[in-house]
Amino acid sequence: LPEAFVHFLEANGLDPTLYTPRYIRVKPGIEEVEAEVKCNLEKLEWLPAFFSLPPHVQIAGSRAYREGKIYGIDAASGAAVMALNVSPGDHVLDLCAAPGAKLCMILDLLGDSGSVTGVDAARHRLAACRTMLQKYMLGDQCRLFVADGTSFSVIPTRFKEWTSRRPWKERKRASKPELIYYGQHSGVVGLTKGELGYDKVLVDAECTHDGSIKHIQKFEHWGWRTFQRRVLDAERTDDLHSLQLNLLTNGFRLLKVGGSLVYSTCSLTVAQNEDVVEQFLKENRTAELIEIDAARNWPCKGGCLPKTWRFDPLTSRTSGLFIAKFTKL
């Protein structure tokens, strides 16, 4: 690791030596894949359908991977999805959906009812989501929009009804989202005017990714010279704080009363996590932090704010992740 990153970890009280674990999620109903990936998988007792994978094993060439039986996703990311407590019939918004592993997990949990709306500002990354949906045959109840998550305004109702409700020129700050995928059962029907809004919202916000094993490894290819600009630069961190707050605020605006929103980042810094949550709560009086009941059985620790949680390589043997859960009063 570059010296600047080691100093960054030390300043945040983190051990730089444990950026190694890997995990896969096995699709529901598929239990035996060990022979296909040619290794022993260790089941995670605290997270259903998740298994740890030895670092040297490559799953991309396996039949199980090609046939969509398994997909790679960090266990901490799976915990963020589980914190949503998705129920059949829910209409879920994934406001920062790319590259798509969490989106697929949400759809797995929904089964044959409800819907998921995936949003991301990067078209090429969202196109990768679309590819995953098709590969894993999960797209019937999903729609994907290329759009700015800080101003996205499509509520869970029929797409035709929404587009005719107000002229585009009257929509504040919003540019027209580009619909790049629309599953045959992803239209949401049966909502009354008072119920407009998503049942569950996931805001896995853009961040410095300093807690992500996969992102740190990418600098071997990108070059460590870019690390200072992408992760450690103070101006970049300030811009991210503003973006994260705006994503959280807009996601909460699209949440219906009584619904649940999970905010997460794969950063280990307070500035991108607890500081964002504190500022958001000050500015949104109808927002309330709530307990994540399942977290009591997770290998994580409490954040700097009550009811928030942190995964890190040292404590959890996962990538770093911060999780906070809100409801709308």
Side-chain angles (χ1 to χ4, degrees):
L1 295 176
E3 186 177 357
F5 185 55
V6 173
H7 292 328
F8 171 83
L9 293 175
E10 290 173 349
N12 284 276
L14 302 164
D15 186 333
T17 63
L18 293 174
Y19 280 78
T20 55
R22 294 174 65 212
Y23 298 92
I24 59 172
R25 174 173 165 80
V26 178
K27 286 190 66 176
I30 308 294
E31 295 295 334
E32 300 297 330
V33 296
E34 289 183 323
E36 296 180 29
V37 297
K38 298 179 181 178
C39 72
N40 293 323
L41 302 175
E42 183 179 347
K43 186 176 173 127
L44 267 66
E45 297 300 329
W46 58 275
L47 197 60
F50 273 74
F51 297 81
S52 62
L53 188 71
H56 67 278
V57 174
Q58 300 297 318
I59 65 173
S62 69
R63 184 162 58 94
Y65 180 80
R66 292 195 306 270
E67 294 179 357
K69 297 177 182 178
I70 60 176
Y71 51 88
I73 175 174
D74 193 83
S77 297
V81 174
M82 293 303 293
L84 274 176
N85 197 26
V86 172
S87 300
D90 279 345
H91 301 299
V92 184
L93 172 64
D94 187 350
L95 199 56
C96 306
K102 296 185 191 72
L103 185 82
C104 288
M105 183 174 169
I106 292 169
L107 285 159
D108 271 342
L109 294 172
L110 277 180
D112 296 327
S113 61
S115 70
V116 179
T117 299
V119 178
D120 205 273
R123 194 182 196 285
H124 69 284
R125 284 167 53 82
L126 202 63
C129 287
R130 179 176 58 194
T131 300
M132 287 188 70
L133 292 178
Q134 293 166 336
K135 175 178 180 177
Y136 297 117
M137 296 179 287
L138 291 168
D140 280 357
Q141 285 148 258
C142 185
R143 56 187 183 173
L144 300 176
F145 290 94
V146 180
D148 180 353
T150 66
S151 58
F152 180 75
S153 294
V154 182
I155 55 177
T157 186
R158 289 180 188 265
F159 183 68
K160 183 178 179 182
E161 291 174 358
W162 178 81
T163 55
S164 63
R165 188 174 294 115
R166 288 175 60 189
W168 289 110
K169 62 183 180 181
E170 293 180 10
R171 305 196 64 77
K172 252 187 186 179
R173 298 186 302 117
S175 58
K176 184 176 180 179
E178 179 188 0
L179 180 69
I180 68 166
Y181 185 85
Y182 195 78
Q184 60 180 331
H185 301 305
S186 62
V188 181
V189 298
L191 296 175
T192 68
K193 185 176 181 181
E195 294 175 318
L196 294 179
Y198 292 89
D199 300 290
K200 308 285 169 62
V201 175
L202 176 63
V203 181
D204 185 47
E206 173 66 15
C207 66
T208 51
H209 304 294
D210 52 86
S212 169
I213 296 164
K214 289 180 67 176
H215 277 83
I216 294 300
Q217 289 173 335
K218 288 177 182 178
F219 286 97
E220 291 290 344
H221 303 286
W222 292 341
W224 290 105
R225 290 183 180 181
T226 66
F227 192 83
Q228 179 75 32
R229 175 175 54 84
R230 293 191 183 212
V231 177
L232 305 178
D233 183 74
E235 185 176 346
R236 156 86 167 151
T237 303
D238 289 344
D239 289 344
L240 279 173
H241 177 92
S242 177
L243 172 63
Q244 290 154 352
L245 181 62
N246 288 334
L247 286 167
L248 176 54
T249 300
N250 194 46
F252 188 75
R253 183 179 67 84
L254 295 169
L255 181 70
K256 76 178 188 181
V257 173
S260 299
L261 181 150
V262 167
Y263 172 76
S264 63
T265 82
C266 58
S267 172
L268 299 168
T269 66
V270 172
Q272 297 175 68
N273 297 315
E274 286 92 344
D275 287 355
V276 172
V277 169
E278 281 194 305
Q279 187 173 346
F280 170 74
L281 288 170
K282 288 177 183 176
E283 296 175 2
N284 293 271
R285 297 301 181 185
T286 61
E288 182 180 52
L289 265 177
I290 57 176
E291 294 283 0
I292 303 174
D293 293 333
R296 296 186 180 93
N297 299 315
W298 292 345
C300 59
K301 58 188 179 183
C304 300
L305 288 177
K307 303 179 184 178
T308 65
W309 296 92
R310 283 176 168 269
F311 288 82
D312 65 66
L314 184 62
T315 304
S316 312
R317 299 290 297 171
T318 67
S319 282
L321 199 80
F322 171 85
I323 305 176
K325 185 174 182 179
F326 305 86
T327 190
K328 181 179 282 189
L329 303 175

